[in-house]
Amino acid sequence: MVETPRTCIVAEDEALLRHALVAELHRAWPALRIVAECEDGASAVEALAEHQPDIAFLDIRMPGLTGLEVANAAADASPRTRIVFVTAYDQYAIDAFERGAIDYLLKPVKPERLDATVARLQAQDTL
């Protein structure tokens, strides 16, 4: 059985953090295709609608729309997209899970924590 490659977008307004997350995703899940890197909430919603990715890694605090607002928009723009929040702020966790988040990663993201998220996402693919 050939595995269908999974796709994702990464939305993070800080370029260094975005590039670091992309690099860690390549390490943790080499087969994952990153179809868009976004630096604000509006471009994340556009990327969701255009690419219909399997997964979205969203920062909470971004210019324009917040990650939580992007997650709300994803329900219409790309309903099958699973959301993982990546943020420095733990106080948004309840809101994130109320919006159906698969996981909530705190910055700086530790490799072992990202590995656990990847394992969780991959396990859902086998259900």
Side-chain angles (χ1 to χ4, degrees):
M1 183 170 133
V2 176
E3 180 183 336
T4 303
R6 296 294 169 213
T7 59
C8 81
I9 67 164
V10 174
E12 164 63 61
D13 61 319
E14 296 182 44
L16 288 175
L17 294 175
R18 187 173 59 253
H19 297 311
L21 179 57
V22 166
E24 277 300 304
L25 284 168
H26 284 305
R27 179 204 56 79
W29 195 350
L32 182 66
R33 287 190 19 229
I34 299 169
V35 296
E37 295 180 35
C38 309
E39 56 188 37
D40 59 54
S43 62
V45 172
E46 289 173 13
L48 284 165
E50 178 182 346
H51 297 287
Q52 302 287 305
D54 299 297
I55 307 153
F57 290 87
L58 304 176
D59 187 11
I60 295 276
R61 289 193 179 172
M62 294 185 289
L65 300 174
T66 68
L68 296 168
E69 291 168 324
V70 173
N72 283 342
D76 292 324
S78 184
R80 68 178 183 83
T81 299
R82 294 171 286 170
I83 305 293
V84 175
F85 287 102
V86 184
T87 183
Y89 306 97
D90 61 358
Q91 71 262 33
Y92 298 106
I94 291 172
D95 289 338
F97 286 110
E98 286 177 348
R99 286 166 175 78
I102 298 301
D103 211 340
Y104 193 93
L105 301 172
L106 288 175
K107 297 175 191 173
V109 177
K110 294 178 174 37
E112 60 274 7
R113 187 64 183 83
L114 182 60
D115 292 344
T117 298
V118 166
R120 180 176 295 125
L121 289 163
Q122 290 172 331
Q124 288 182 343
D125 287 344
T126 62
L127 297 178

